[in-house]
Amino acid sequence: MRRNIVKEKSFGFAIKVVRLNQFLVTEKKEYVMSKQLLRSGTSVGAMVREAEHAETKKDFIHKMAIAQKEINESIYWLELLKETDYLSEEEFQTLSINALEIIKLITAIITTTKANIKN
């Protein structure tokens, strides 16, 4: 069985987001932005998992596109948390690099799948 890199990375990202949420709530007493990040950051992997069992190629693309939007939203919340001093530069960089890797993978998957449908 082949490794599913985007599945692994999105799950790992979700774990980091959950741990970050726990830290932000308990240590920084930040509840609103961290909750938004928790929702979008864990949704990415859930949509990737849904896409695994898509009914059609178009359904697959649709689910991956939602995952793409969710990871993009997660990047927004990470940037906002950094700029409002809830995240250090180092904490931000670690999660941001992970998120950018995931968005690149998802974008490539969507592009390839669309090209394969046309052929």
Side-chain angles (χ1 to χ4, degrees), residues 6-7 10 16 18 52 56 71 76-78 86 92 108 111:
V6 73
K7 181 179 171 182
S10 61
K16 289 176 185 170
V18 168
E52 278 187 308
T56 64
I71 193 69
Y76 171 81
W77 293 117
L78 288 168
Y86 284 103
F92 169 76
T111 303

Side-chain angles (χ1 to χ4, degrees), residues 13-70:
F13 182 76
I15 291 168
K16 289 176 185 170
V17 165
V18 168
R19 290 190 177 134
L20 175 60
N21 176 264
Q22 291 168 335
F23 166 76
L24 289 170
V25 168
T26 58
E27 301 296 321
K28 302 279 190 164
K29 305 299 183 217
E30 197 299 307
Y31 303 98
V32 177
M33 292 181 287
S34 58
K35 181 83 169 208
Q36 294 285 29
L37 176 61
L38 181 65
R39 289 179 182 181
S40 63
T42 56
S43 180
V44 179
M47 291 312 300
V48 168
R49 293 273 178 112
E50 279 193 43
E52 278 187 308
H53 298 286
E55 295 176 19
T56 64
K57 291 279 187 195
K58 285 187 179 185
D59 185 36
F60 175 82
I61 291 168
H62 176 71
K63 285 174 174 32
M64 291 302 285
I66 294 170
Q68 183 182 46
K69 290 176 185 179
E70 295 293 340

Side-chain angles (χ1 to χ4, degrees), residues 8 14 26 38 46 66 77 87 96 103 105-106 109 115:
E8 291 174 16
T26 58
L38 181 65
I66 294 170
W77 293 117
L87 287 181
S96 181
I103 202 167
L105 284 168
I106 291 171
I109 290 166

